[in-house]
Amino acid sequence: FYDAQDQRVMVCHGDAAAITAIDPEKAEVIGKIDLGGGAEAAVLDGKGTGFVNLEAAAMVVSFDPLGLTVKQKWPITGCEKPTGLAMDASASRLFIGCRSKVLAVMDAANGKVITTLPIGERVDAVVFDAENQLIFASNGGGTVSVIRQKSPNEYESAGDIQTPKSAQTMAFDPHIKRL
């Protein structure tokens, strides 16, 4: 993923348990962040902090993408095998897709899990539509679970979108509102 604030490309390495920072202008590795576990998905808050899921450990690591250091590590209570990760930076909320068929909502300021909500099986990606306050979790079982953010501390299921089985990878275009 691209870190626009620091003008770096950041690469998550599951097997190497690290994130590598690359200078795209020079095509050179700047350094890496040792995470202590396999990195799955990462997001940035636009204020100098990044967050990454550690799948096997069921943890979120907050990190400094400029200084390439770990800030904190938090367990994801009620979650097993976190994969997808999205963020509402304005409300400081992380949305974590868990293979235990839940979406965990975490306070990005302190690592506290606010709630978990049921989603489909074999989640892969999670995206957030800030304008419409909707969270989407793509599931290999043949659905995209849709969660509505009523407030930063209140969420509800808005139903599922049917997809072909194994359709897991997902992206969201906020300009045309298309998954």
Side-chain angles (χ1 to χ4, degrees):
F1 60 97
Y2 184 67
D3 176 359
Q5 183 175 349
D6 300 319
Q7 299 179 342
R8 295 176 172 181
V9 174
M10 308 294 281
V11 181
C12 293
H13 301 282
D15 292 340
I19 295 177
T20 299
I22 299 168
D23 179 332
E25 292 288 319
K26 297 178 182 174
E28 294 177 355
V29 171
I30 297 167
K32 69 177 186 168
I33 305 167
D34 291 314
L35 301 170
E40 182 63 25
V43 294
L44 300 168
D45 68 0
K47 302 170 199 160
T49 301
F51 303 90
V52 62
N53 288 340
L54 301 185
E55 187 175 9
M59 298 186 85
V60 167
V61 174
S62 78
F63 64 91
D64 176 350
L66 182 61
L68 302 177
T69 58
V70 169
K71 291 182 172 185
Q72 297 193 335
K73 292 184 179 184
W74 300 306
I76 311 167
T77 306
C79 173
E80 295 174 22
K81 297 184 180 176
T83 57
L85 180 63
M87 183 172 199
D88 176 355
S90 67
S92 192
R93 296 295 182 259
L94 296 170
F95 308 119
I96 307 158
C98 307
R99 290 276 167 100
S100 50
K101 297 195 255 182
V102 297
L103 179 92
V105 179
M106 178 181 278
D107 185 329
N110 60 24
K112 179 183 177 206
V113 173
I114 295 163
T115 190
T116 58
L117 299 114
I119 59 172
E121 63 180 312
R122 295 191 327 270
V123 65
D124 185 55
V126 176
V127 296
F128 178 60
D129 174 1
E131 184 178 325
N132 293 304
Q133 303 294 289
L134 295 172
I135 305 139
F136 300 94
S138 59
N139 308 303
T143 62
V144 172
S145 298
V146 184
I147 307 292
R148 180 173 290 109
Q149 181 186 50
K150 295 172 76 174
S151 76
N153 293 325
E154 191 178 1
Y155 299 83
E156 67 183 5
S157 174
D160 290 332
I161 301 167
Q162 296 300 308
T163 66
K165 287 196 183 282
S166 298
Q168 295 176 319
T169 302
M170 178 177 59
F172 176 67
D173 184 332
H175 302 291
I176 62 171
K177 302 294 181 199
R178 189 169 188 150
L179 289 175

